[in-house]
Amino acid sequence: MNFWMHRFKLKQYFIGITIAIAIVIFHAGSTILNIWSFFDQSPFLFTPFTKWISIDSGPITLLLFLSLPLLCCLSGSQIYIDDIESGFVWHVVQKRPLKKYILSIEVISFLSGFITVFIPLLIDFVILWFFLPYLLPNLVVNENLTVLNATTFFANTYYTKPVLFVIFYILLPSFFGGMYALFSTMIASFTGKKFLSVTASFLVISVLSVISGILPDIFYAPNLISIASSPVYLPNFLRVISSYLITMLFISIAIIFGVRRHVNQ
Amino acid sequence: MLINKFIARKKTSIQRIAGLLIFMTWTVLCLLGILSATSHLKSEHNLFELFFTAIQNPRNQLQYGIPLMIVMALIMFIKPTAHEIYSLVNNKSLGKFIWRYSFKIALLFLWGSMTALLIFYVLIQDHDYVIKQSTIIFSLILLVLYFLSIFTLVLLLNFITVLFSKLIGLTFGFILLFFENFLFTNLHVTLFFSRGLWIDPKSYNSLLIFNFLIFSVYLYCIYHSNKLIEKVGIKL
């Protein structure tokens, strides 16, 4: 564990999370400044639950969620490609079993992608929670919000248990963030190209976003459906979970083959 | 000249496959764009109008088109190594190399868009979509503008990639994109992408000329920055 902690001292593994935090701080700051003068008039409209980045359907929300596949790959998921480029992988496989190394790479990659999304979304909510009145959303007062069953998973929870709703919408994109990072490691294990591995997730997800607009019954874009007030119609939640698990399984197995192929060359 | 040819042909199989995949992806994206634009056009059935409405839609370009183009262009560009840059600077052909490479990449994107139009025309078999001969010259002007906008962007990204790295080129590309997005949403002005048929009809002629001029100015500036690039190239 100590060994991996030491490896994380490099600044390059924190580029993604730094950019994501900068975006959410900009969002929270601009939101608070914009609504500061309206606080006394209508506090029900400006609560942490109504102005949180995932609910607030503004351009910054779209910017953050569209760039998440790229940001998640600018994280610890680059450890494997760095090992390949520096030749460190040959040293590691002599000292410890290959299976253990692959498992560590997969876990680190997933967790770094997960954290890259989890922390910024949490920070945005916490900043708004500090500054805005803590009032629960109301179905009548907040009817202007686009929290509908067609565009939001468990939309009813937003009005009954909003904290649970926020936790769900922090975890959902975070799990997808882990998947983007793992996908990046998979591309790295097969191609050995750093730039390709960083941008592959972004490419695939962007193409998926376009295709899902044309064929919404067959495809869905993970970055768009993980926005609480999603700009697209949502697929069945069970379909999302099953496709997520299948994709994760496929990626994990592919990484094993990719790394083995590289090491056994 | 030899070093120029050597770098242009120096490609691994992965890079060739990536190039092919990128071309196919771009073609499919343009085809999907054209298909989705068919629902917006009810009264007009000019094929060229449909094409330019699809590929030059500002929203599509800012959210999907240009970000994907930035990433794809950078994947296709093979950054010369330190030795190669040294040889290119010695031959005074570093600028020429980047120009030629960028031209090829921009041409590939244009080719992909045109292929998508051709596939649509062949597959749809709909007699409602026709080529109006009176709009051919105007369409060619729009096509040249579209190509110039791609070429300028790719050229700029490649220059930055050679000077620094692909990741910095990518960051620069995205900062440029956000700036463009900001300009478009707040002032309805764009600097680096051609809006084609999405310009307000009242200001069409002036904006068309403005677009031609601004892309020429960009290319002129980049061309004359060659000497600066070669000076910097010596230090690389």
Side-chain angles (χ1 to χ4, degrees):
Chain A
M1 195 63 195
N2 239 346
F3 165 71
W4 293 110
M5 292 304 280
H6 274 292
R7 295 205 63 191
F8 263 96
K9 282 179 182 170
L10 285 174
K11 283 177 195 165
Q12 67 190 61
Y13 299 136
F14 297 95
I15 295 175
I17 197 166
T18 311
I19 296 172
I21 289 174
I23 292 173
V24 297
I25 288 176
F26 178 74
H27 169 261
S30 61
T31 306
I32 292 165
L33 284 177
N34 282 338
I35 60 177
W36 196 258
S37 53
F38 302 108
F39 272 166
D40 297 334
Q41 295 162 19
S42 46
F44 273 98
L45 295 176
F46 311 118
T47 69
F49 297 107
T50 56
K51 286 290 156 188
W52 183 45
I53 192 161
S54 196
I55 292 283
D56 188 16
S57 51
I60 303 175
T61 306
L62 210 58
L63 162 74
L64 177 74
F65 280 88
L66 285 178
S67 54
L68 274 184
L70 198 63
L71 299 179
C72 289
C73 300
L74 290 168
S75 63
S77 65
Q78 294 303 305
I79 277 189
Y80 176 69
I81 193 78
D82 288 344
D83 284 355
I84 292 287
E85 282 184 350
S86 63
F88 187 66
V89 66
W90 309 110
H91 175 76
V92 174
V93 294
Q94 281 174 358
K95 302 276 178 189
R96 56 196 305 180
L98 186 61
K99 274 182 192 172
K100 211 172 175 182
Y101 174 70
I102 294 171
L103 188 71
S104 312
I105 287 293
E106 285 185 347
V107 171
I108 285 170
S109 191
F110 178 83
L111 283 179
S112 56
F114 185 93
I115 289 167
T116 305
V117 186
F118 186 86
I119 291 178
L121 288 181
L122 190 69
I123 286 177
D124 189 72
F125 187 77
V126 169
I127 293 175
L128 293 174
W129 181 67
F130 273 131
F131 287 94
L132 303 185
Y134 187 80
L135 297 168
L136 298 183
N138 186 293
L139 191 60
V140 179
V141 178
N142 302 119
E143 65 171 351
N144 60 329
L145 293 174
T146 52
V147 182
L148 309 164
N149 277 323
T151 54
T152 308
F153 289 118
F154 312 115
N156 296 333
T157 328
Y158 180 67
Y159 297 103
T160 52
K161 291 172 185 166
V163 177
L164 202 68
F165 178 86
V166 169
I167 291 170
F168 171 76
Y169 267 104
I170 290 177
L171 288 177
L172 183 71
S174 305
F175 276 107
F176 279 121
M179 191 176 78
Y180 307 145
L182 260 186
F183 185 78
S184 159
T185 308
M186 185 190 87
I187 296 293
S189 69
F190 278 99
T191 61
K193 306 271 176 203
K194 187 165 190 167
F195 188 75
L196 196 62
S197 73
V198 169
T199 53
S201 295
F202 177 75
L203 263 179
V204 173
I205 299 299
S206 300
V207 171
L208 262 180
S209 308
V210 178
I211 297 176
S212 67
I214 309 285
L215 305 163
D217 297 332
I218 306 169
F219 297 99
Y220 69 86
N223 57 344
L224 295 182
I225 65 156
S226 52
I227 305 175
S229 55
S230 172
V232 293
Y233 288 113
L234 298 177
N236 188 335
F237 189 61
L238 279 177
R239 199 181 121 206
V240 174
I241 292 182
S242 54
S243 57
Y244 178 82
L245 290 176
I246 291 168
T247 314
M248 285 295 282
L249 191 71
F250 170 76
I251 292 173
S252 307
I253 294 169
I255 290 173
I256 296 170
F257 280 108
V259 175
R260 275 193 179 161
R261 194 183 66 113
H262 216 97
V263 173
N264 294 334
Q265 267 176 3
Chain B
M1 206 57 210
L2 266 174
I3 183 80
N4 231 328
K5 279 186 181 172
F6 165 73
I7 302 169
R9 287 176 187 172
K10 186 194 77 173
K11 272 183 181 174
T12 61
S13 54
I14 289 173
Q15 278 155 343
R16 283 179 201 281
I17 293 167
L20 188 68
L21 281 176
I22 284 169
F23 173 73
M24 283 161 64
T25 312
W26 186 253
T27 308
V28 171
L29 282 178
C30 289
L31 189 63
L32 291 175
I34 293 171
L35 283 173
S36 63
T38 51
S39 57
H40 299 296
L41 286 179
K42 299 237 163 90
S43 56
E44 293 288 335
H45 296 292
N46 182 7
L47 198 69
F48 288 132
E49 189 181 340
L50 177 75
F51 177 63
F52 289 111
T53 309
I55 61 165
Q56 293 185 312
N57 179 340
R59 188 186 143 271
N60 281 357
Q61 281 197 89
L62 282 171
Q63 286 183 9
Y64 306 108
I66 298 180
L68 279 171
M69 190 186 281
I70 290 170
V71 172
M72 286 171 172
L74 285 172
I75 289 174
M76 277 195 283
F77 181 66
I78 302 171
K79 192 189 169 190
T81 59
H83 284 90
E84 288 160 356
I85 291 176
Y86 177 76
S87 307
L88 284 168
V89 171
N90 268 354
N91 293 339
K92 292 184 177 171
S93 56
L94 180 64
K96 204 183 279 180
F97 164 75
I98 301 172
W99 266 74
R100 190 186 281 186
Y101 222 118
S102 308
F103 192 81
K104 273 186 190 174
I105 293 172
L107 211 61
L108 195 85
F109 283 118
L110 188 73
W111 186 24
S113 313
M114 296 299 287
T115 311
L117 178 68
L118 201 68
I119 292 171
F120 174 78
Y121 187 60
V122 172
L123 286 183
I124 198 97
Q125 294 290 330
D126 190 342
H127 297 295
D128 288 340
Y129 290 102
V130 290
I131 297 169
K132 287 185 183 169
Q133 289 191 342
S134 57
T135 57
I136 287 179
I137 294 173
F138 180 62
S139 305
L140 276 176
I141 292 172
L142 286 182
L143 204 66
V144 170
L145 276 177
Y146 180 60
F147 177 74
L148 280 179
S149 69
I150 300 174
F151 182 50
T152 316
L153 186 69
V154 174
L155 192 64
L156 203 61
L157 286 175
N158 288 350
F159 265 118
I160 289 172
T161 303
V162 169
L163 288 182
F164 304 102
S165 69
K166 280 192 176 183
L167 274 180
I168 292 177
L170 183 75
T171 315
F172 175 81
F174 274 85
I175 291 170
L176 205 68
L177 186 74
F178 299 145
F179 180 63
E180 199 79 332
N181 202 350
F182 172 79
L183 282 180
F184 183 69
T185 45
N186 294 301
L187 304 168
H188 299 284
V189 179
T190 53
L191 290 178
F192 271 96
F193 76 90
S194 161
R195 280 182 291 152
L197 293 172
W198 291 83
I199 299 172
D200 176 25
K202 283 177 191 168
S203 55
Y204 214 102
N205 294 335
S206 56
L207 270 173
L208 214 62
I209 294 165
F210 173 75
N211 265 6
F212 255 124
L213 286 174
I214 198 134
F215 290 132
S216 316
V217 169
Y218 289 151
L219 291 173
Y220 180 81
C221 291
I222 298 170
Y223 183 74
H224 279 275
S225 63
N226 251 350
K227 284 175 189 169
L228 179 76
I229 298 288
E230 290 190 354
K231 270 182 196 169
V232 179
I234 294 169
K235 290 177 189 172
L236 288 174

